[in-house]
Amino acid sequence: MSFVMLLLIMLLLIPVLLLTSRVFTYYFKNIFYVAYMMVMASIALPICILRCRGRDIENMRIVRAFCWHVKYFLGVRYKVSGLEHFQTEGPYVILCNHQSTLDILGMMEILPDRCTPIARKEVVYVGTVGLTSWIGGVVFINRKKTSDAKSVMADVAQTMQKDQIRVWVFPEGTRNQKGDLLPFKKGAFHLAVQVQVPIIPVVFSSYKNFYSPEEKQFKSGTVTIKVLPKVETKNMTSDDVSALSETCYQLMNSAFAEISQPAGQTNGPSSN
């Protein structure tokens, strides 16, 4: 049997398996997602270089444009509310719960201008995605070395003040699909207090109704995104960080429980 014939048979089998096998669909969608993002990053990278001639947060607009449509291939839709809370002048810190790599699509769905995420250092080595992230101004920190992480965050604080940028942080520090939020790490709160900028919490509803690594499930589904009102840090000091962290945690955990309920997914305008 020729190679062409084998290829045709495989191509014909893929739709059948996508319709009949939950496990095949899970792995196929995840592999497609990673591969497609690599391809999109390969196209976006030279455009970013030509447009800004190097590392620049303005490149995140290009990155967002190349990521925005990927949701359609994966069958993921978003219902967004509270975007008016991003209409805040100057820098701020966005906090968001972290469930999986799909969070990237949700982030790109609503990412405000002049905003860049803070990511673990390992991401920079993920092929073209890592390179494009770097040239888009993504801040990389080494969570294994506290001294390095603190040094990077100090630099971020200066950049926020100087260049009026916003940062997107996942305060749980790791992916979590356990049904509620993990305790928050304090770095983002120290940053917000140091720069004296507001915190804007963002909550993604649970993915469990359509995406579950444990059950090898990746169906089509809808994610509710809720942007909460800003939490001010003006006149706060490092002594207030623990209380500030707890306040934000309670706000976000309550919102997560609310919008992760089936009834909660009917609220808010649809973002297509």
Side-chain angles (χ1 to χ4, degrees):
M1 188 178 293
S2 68
F3 173 77
V4 175
M5 185 64 68
L6 284 171
L7 184 61
L8 286 173
I9 292 173
M10 289 177 64
L11 290 174
L12 290 171
L13 278 175
I14 287 175
V16 176
L17 290 170
L18 287 173
L19 290 171
T20 59
S21 174
R22 183 185 76 250
V23 175
F24 177 83
T25 301
Y26 171 81
Y27 284 109
F28 180 85
K29 280 191 170 184
N30 274 291
I31 291 170
F32 173 83
Y33 176 42
V34 173
Y36 193 79
M37 291 294 274
M38 289 282 191
V39 172
M40 290 296 98
S42 299
I43 299 171
L45 183 59
I47 296 174
C48 290
I49 293 171
L50 289 172
R51 182 178 183 273
C52 294
R53 300 186 182 278
R55 180 173 163 85
D56 193 311
I57 195 171
E58 290 298 325
N59 284 326
M60 287 306 297
R61 291 187 177 187
I62 298 172
V63 174
R64 181 184 176 187
F66 275 89
C67 292
W68 192 81
H69 68 284
V70 179
K71 62 186 180 183
Y72 295 112
F73 293 115
L74 300 178
V76 180
R77 297 294 183 271
Y78 294 95
K79 291 183 178 180
V80 182
S81 65
L83 283 178
E84 67 274 9
H85 299 305
F86 283 154
Q87 305 304 314
T88 299
E89 292 296 326
Y92 46 78
V93 175
I94 298 173
L95 302 182
C96 184
N97 58 312
H98 191 17
Q99 298 181 71
S100 82
T101 55
L102 293 178
D103 296 339
I104 296 171
L105 299 183
M107 179 174 66
M108 292 301 169
E109 185 78 10
I110 64 170
L111 191 73
D113 289 339
R114 298 196 62 74
C115 182
T116 189
I118 294 178
R120 55 191 172 87
K121 188 177 180 180
E122 290 80 3
V123 173
V124 78
Y125 303 113
V126 185
T128 53
V129 169
L131 289 172
T132 305
S133 298
W134 181 84
I135 207 164
V138 173
V139 178
F140 298 102
I141 61 172
N142 186 351
R143 293 198 180 106
K144 295 178 181 178
K145 290 186 178 180
T146 305
S147 58
D148 289 355
K150 287 182 177 179
S151 176
V152 170
M153 293 300 269
D155 291 341
V156 171
Q158 291 181 355
T159 304
M160 287 180 72
Q161 292 174 317
K162 178 184 175 183
D163 299 331
Q164 297 291 289
I165 69 168
R166 296 89 181 248
V167 295
W168 183 296
V169 185
F170 296 105
E172 293 170 283
T174 189
R175 301 171 198 169
N176 168 43
Q177 278 193 297
K178 294 182 178 179
D180 57 3
L181 306 189
L182 295 176
F184 288 170
K185 298 184 181 300
K186 300 295 196 299
F189 303 97
H190 280 290
L191 175 64
V193 168
Q194 181 179 345
V195 189
Q196 293 286 285
V197 297
I199 291 171
I200 300 182
V202 172
V203 185
F204 295 169
S205 63
S206 174
Y207 299 165
K208 276 205 166 184
N209 64 324
F210 70 93
Y211 179 82
S212 173
E214 292 179 0
E215 299 176 7
K216 300 296 182 288
Q217 174 180 273
F218 195 163
K219 302 185 296 185
S220 296
T222 299
V223 179
T224 298
I225 301 178
K226 188 171 185 177
V227 184
L228 304 180
K230 65 183 178 182
V231 178
E232 292 289 357
T233 65
K234 194 172 182 180
N235 297 323
M236 287 188 179
T237 68
S238 57
D239 293 335
D240 301 306
V241 164
S242 293
L244 177 63
S245 173
E246 181 62 22
T247 297
C248 291
Y249 178 87
Q250 293 300 333
L251 287 170
M252 293 176 67
N253 205 36
S254 296
F256 178 76
E258 174 194 341
I259 65 177
S260 295
Q261 298 299 320
Q265 296 187 0
T266 62
N267 296 329
S270 177
S271 175
N272 294 316

